Amino acid sequence: MTRRIRILDTTLRDGEQTPGVSLNLEEKTAIARQLELLGVDTIEAGFAITSKGDFEAVKAVAETVRNCTVTSLARAVEKDIDTAWEAVKGAKNPGIHTFIATSDIHMKFKLRMTEEEVLERTRTMVARAKAYTDYVEFSAEDASRSRREFLYKVYEAAIEAGAIMLNVPDTVGYTTPDEFGKLIKDIKANVKGIETVGISVHCHNDLGLAVANSLSAIQNGADLVECTINGLGERAGNAALEEIIMAIDTRKDFYDFSHGINTTLISKTSNLVSTLTGVNVQPNKAIVGKNAFAHESGIHQHGIMAEKTTYEIMTPESIGLKHNNMVLGKHSGRHAFEEKLKEMGYDLTKEDLNDAFIKFKDLADKKKQVLTEDIDAILLEKMFKVEEVFELDQFQISSGNKLISTATIKLKKGDEYITEAATGDGPIDAALNAIDRCMKFPMRLEDYKIKAVTGGKDAMGEVNVKVLKDGHRFVGHGVSTDIIEASIKAYLNAANRAYSVINSNGNGESDE
Ligand code: KIV
Ligand code: ZN
C-alpha cells in the first residue's frame, strides 16, 4: 500500500548554517510562508537559543504559519528547551526538537560525557520538552557513527520520556545507502516501543549521498525526511527537498510513496531561497539548476523535438517552469496584469497592486518581454521594502576604461536633499562611496552579489548585498534593468533597514 512520507524542511535552521548565510526575520517569514504553500509538513524555523534575532524569527514564523507544525531546535539542556518553547508556543502546531550526540567520538571529545550521563540527559530533557508540548522530536546526533546497542538504549529512553519522532541523523554525511537503510531496519527491529513513534532521517551530503541515503531510509521504514531547499546546509549541505520529491514522483514505479508537496511550486521556492540567502544554485544542479531542462547537443534537441520522453524524464512544468513564459508587454492593461498575478498565485491589496502595476509598466517600457521571473523580482523587492529614510532622487555616473569612475548621488532624507560626489574602483564602487558620503552613516559592505533575473541583453539585474553596521548584519535587495541602479537600490535598502533597527534600539543579525 502507498505510504505517505512526511517532509520536515530545515532550510531556516540547518540551511541557515550554510557558510555566509544569515536571514533576518522578514526573510525567514517569507520563506516559511512559501514552504507552507509548497506543502511541507513541518518547518524547523531555527535554533531559538542562539541569538535574540533567531528567537524573534522562530516566534514570527510560529505565529505566521498555520498549516504546518513549527519546531525549534534545542540542545538537550534546560535553557535551550525552555527558550525553544517560548519561541514556538504561539504556533497552531508547535514542536520542540531536542538533540544530544551519541557517538563515542562526540561524547568523548565534544560533550565530555559518559554513556550513562547521555542516557540520563536524554530522559530528563525529552521529559522537560514533553511537559510543554506533545510534539517532541529527539535526535541522536551522529547516529550513523554511534555504537548500535547504545543507540537503541538512547532511543528507548527518548520514547519512554515522551518523544513521538525519533530522528536518525547522518550528521557528517558518512554513511552509504545500503548501510543507512539497514540502520533504519535494525532500529525498527531492536528498539522497544518503536512502533508507537515515527522515524525521521536527516542526511548530510559530504559524500554526495544525502538524497540516496534518505531514499534508502524511507524504503526501509522511515516516515519522515528532513531536508532543505536547494540542498543548503552545514558544510556540503543537507538532502535537497526537490530531489527527494521528484525522485519519488518520477519513479513512482519504484518508490511507492505519496507526499504533500505541490511540485509546481518547487522552482519558485528554489528561486526565493536562492535570492534571499544569496547562495546561487549551481547550473547543473538536479531539478532546479538552470541547465536541468536544457538540451544542448543537436542529437538531444532533435530527439526532444521528435518525442520529449527521449531525453526528458520529468517535465519542466511539473516543477513550475512555464513553457510559454511570456507574460505581458507594454500594451497590456491593468486587468490582464491583475489576472496574470492571480494566475501566478499572488493576492495583493489594491494599493500593492497599483504600485506593482506602475513598476510593471515602467519595466515594460525598458524590456521587450516581461517574464514571470521579472514579475517575481518586482514583487520580491516590494516585499522587502522598508521605511525609506534615505531615498534615491538622482544619480549620474561617469566611467570608462581610461577614466576614473565618478558618481554623483542625490539622496532625499525627510525634506532635505543631499548631493555628494565620489570616485571609486569602477562605477558601482564610486556610487556606493558617494552614498556613504551623503548618508554619514558608516557601514561596511561585506558581500555583493549580482545576477540576471532572466536571459537576454535587456534582462533586469538583481543585486543582493550584506552590510555590517555596529556589529550587526543587514541585507539589501534591488532590481533594475540598470545594474548600477540595482546596486544603489540594494545598498540603500540595507542602509534603511540598518537605520530603522539601530534607531529603534533593536538588532539585526549579530556578527558577534
Ligand atoms: O546534522 C545533525 O545531526 C543535526 C541535528 C541537530 C539534527 O543537524
Ligand atoms: Zn544537520
Side-chain angles (χ1 to χ4, degrees):
M1 203 184 76
T2 304
R3 200 151 53 86
R4 163 85 154 75
I5 296 302
R6 283 191 269 165
I7 296 293
L8 177 148
D9 183 281
T10 183
T11 305
L12 299 178
R13 200 278 297 171
D14 220 322
E16 213 212 6
Q17 289 172 220
T18 304
V21 171
S22 155
L23 297 164
N24 66 18
L25 189 142
E26 295 114 305
E27 291 161 337
K28 284 192 176 176
T29 44
I31 291 175
R33 266 192 238 110
Q34 183 62 27
L35 292 172
E36 185 179 27
L37 289 176
L38 183 67
V40 308
D41 299 278
T42 303
I43 296 176
E44 182 158 78
F47 197 168
I49 191 77
T50 52
S51 70
K52 186 167 175 277
D54 234 72
F55 176 89
E56 292 300 340
V58 175
K59 189 163 179 295
V61 170
E63 286 164 8
T64 304
V65 164
R66 295 288 96 181
N67 301 317
C68 318
T69 299
V70 178
T71 62
S72 168
L73 188 65
R75 286 168 304 181
V77 294
E78 290 178 5
K79 66 175 185 327
D80 278 39
I81 289 170
D82 298 348
T83 309
W85 174 245
E86 281 307 307
V88 296
K89 70 181 181 192
K92 188 160 170 227
N93 300 301
I96 297 175
H97 174 189
T98 186
F99 73 99
I100 191 162
T102 51
S103 63
D104 288 348
I105 194 162
H106 276 232
M107 289 189 291
K108 180 169 175 198
F109 294 105
K110 187 182 81 173
L111 297 178
R112 295 177 199 280
M113 285 169 80
T114 63
E115 286 191 349
E116 267 321 304
E117 287 167 331
V118 167
L119 259 179
E120 186 49 26
R121 186 72 75 79
T122 302
R123 276 190 205 103
T124 52
M125 291 305 117
V126 170
R128 191 176 185 93
K130 190 72 176 184
Y132 286 126
T133 178
D134 185 51
Y135 193 97
V136 177
E137 175 182 345
F138 170 76
S139 283
E141 191 189 8
D142 208 14
S144 53
R145 293 194 300 168
S146 299
R147 198 170 64 75
R148 280 297 172 84
E149 291 307 319
F150 177 60
L151 185 64
Y152 301 154
K153 273 200 211 161
V154 175
Y155 282 141
E156 282 169 10
I159 295 171
E160 277 163 26
I164 62 165
M165 183 60 71
L166 294 189
N167 187 29
V168 187
D170 180 30
T171 301
V172 289
Y174 181 71
T175 198
T176 64
D178 287 349
E179 185 184 49
F180 198 54
K182 181 158 182 330
L183 174 59
I184 303 304
K185 218 181 199 158
D186 289 347
I187 289 171
K188 280 180 86 81
N190 291 290
V191 173
K192 242 186 282 140
I194 194 77
E195 64 291 345
T196 63
V197 299
I199 300 182
S200 135
V201 290
H202 175 109
C203 296
H204 278 272
N205 205 30
D206 299 65
L207 294 173
L209 292 172
V211 169
N213 289 336
S214 305
L215 290 169
S216 171
I218 55 177
Q219 281 181 289
N220 284 282
D223 306 286
L224 181 150
V225 180
E226 302 197 353
C227 43
T228 58
I229 302 297
N230 300 339
L232 290 180
E234 189 82 38
R235 304 183 311 280
N238 289 61
L241 180 149
E242 62 278 6
E243 294 180 24
I244 290 166
I245 294 299
M246 292 314 287
I248 292 174
D249 277 17
T250 307
R251 295 303 311 274
K252 277 198 190 77
D253 57 324
F254 188 72
Y255 295 116
D256 192 13
F257 307 121
S258 65
H259 55 76
I261 300 295
N262 175 355
T263 63
T264 62
L265 293 177
I266 283 180
S267 172
K268 186 166 179 185
T269 311
S270 163
N271 283 338
L272 179 73
V273 168
S274 167
T275 300
L276 297 186
T277 56
V279 180
N280 292 338
V281 175
Q282 79 193 57
N284 58 327
K285 158 95 175 59
I287 319 295
V288 291
K290 92 172 173 358
N291 296 347
F293 293 94
H295 302 280
E296 178 72 15
S297 109
I299 297 173
H300 288 207
Q301 286 171 353
H302 183 243
I304 282 281
M305 278 191 285
E307 167 56 44
K308 280 201 182 128
T309 54
T310 48
Y311 287 102
E312 228 170 58
I313 58 167
M314 57 198 151
T315 64
E317 289 82 2
S318 63
I319 63 151
L321 288 171
K322 304 271 181 320
H323 237 11
N324 180 1
N325 189 12
M326 229 267 276
V327 177
L328 304 158
K330 69 178 185 182
H331 300 299
S332 306
R334 204 192 150 76
H335 184 66
F337 179 69
E338 200 173 334
E339 284 303 307
K340 193 73 209 176
L341 286 186
K342 276 200 197 126
E343 193 188 307
M344 288 170 69
Y346 290 105
D347 181 17
L348 302 189
T349 62
K350 214 173 164 134
E351 194 190 331
D352 284 347
L353 186 68
N354 285 343
D355 194 56
F357 185 62
I358 293 169
K359 291 210 163 78
F360 157 71
K361 279 296 201 187
D362 194 33
L363 180 62
D365 271 342
K366 295 181 187 146
K367 203 171 175 281
K368 277 201 293 290
Q369 298 179 334
V370 178
L371 308 180
T372 50
E373 290 92 329
D374 295 317
I375 303 282
D376 282 334
I378 289 175
L379 291 172
L380 187 71
E381 192 188 44
K382 227 186 119 27
M383 189 181 345
F384 290 97
K385 264 238 148 349
V386 282
E387 194 197 337
E388 287 189 292
V389 179
F390 303 108
E391 219 178 312
L392 175 67
D393 184 57
Q394 281 182 32
F395 71 92
Q396 194 180 325
I397 306 286
S398 127
S399 188
N401 62 342
K402 294 197 174 162
L403 283 180
I404 293 175
S405 296
T406 312
T408 306
I409 299 275
K410 186 171 174 191
L411 291 190
K412 185 168 181 281
K413 184 179 179 207
D415 295 334
E416 188 192 357
Y417 283 88
I418 314 157
T419 306
E420 289 286 354
T423 57
D425 184 12
I428 292 169
D429 188 38
L432 304 194
N433 288 341
I435 292 176
D436 282 341
R437 286 194 174 176
C438 292
M439 295 193 301
K440 296 191 177 52
F441 182 68
M443 323 186 288
R444 187 159 71 77
L445 180 66
E446 197 191 39
D447 191 35
Y448 173 96
K449 283 202 175 69
I450 182 161
K451 75 170 192 205
V453 173
T454 57
K457 280 193 298 197
D458 60 355
M460 285 205 290
E462 178 181 276
V463 174
N464 290 295
V465 298
K466 285 185 184 149
V467 302
L468 270 182
K469 173 74 186 163
D470 298 351
H472 298 295
R473 184 176 291 119
F474 298 91
V475 296
H477 308 279
V479 285
S480 170
T481 47
D482 178 331
I483 58 167
I484 297 171
E485 185 176 21
S487 307
I488 292 172
K489 281 170 140 185
Y491 196 62
L492 285 175
N493 184 234
N496 283 320
R497 274 160 199 273
Y499 194 90
S500 67
V501 169
I502 296 215
N503 284 294
S504 69
N505 220 8
N507 75 340
E509 194 62 42
S510 177
D511 192 43
E512 278 128 30

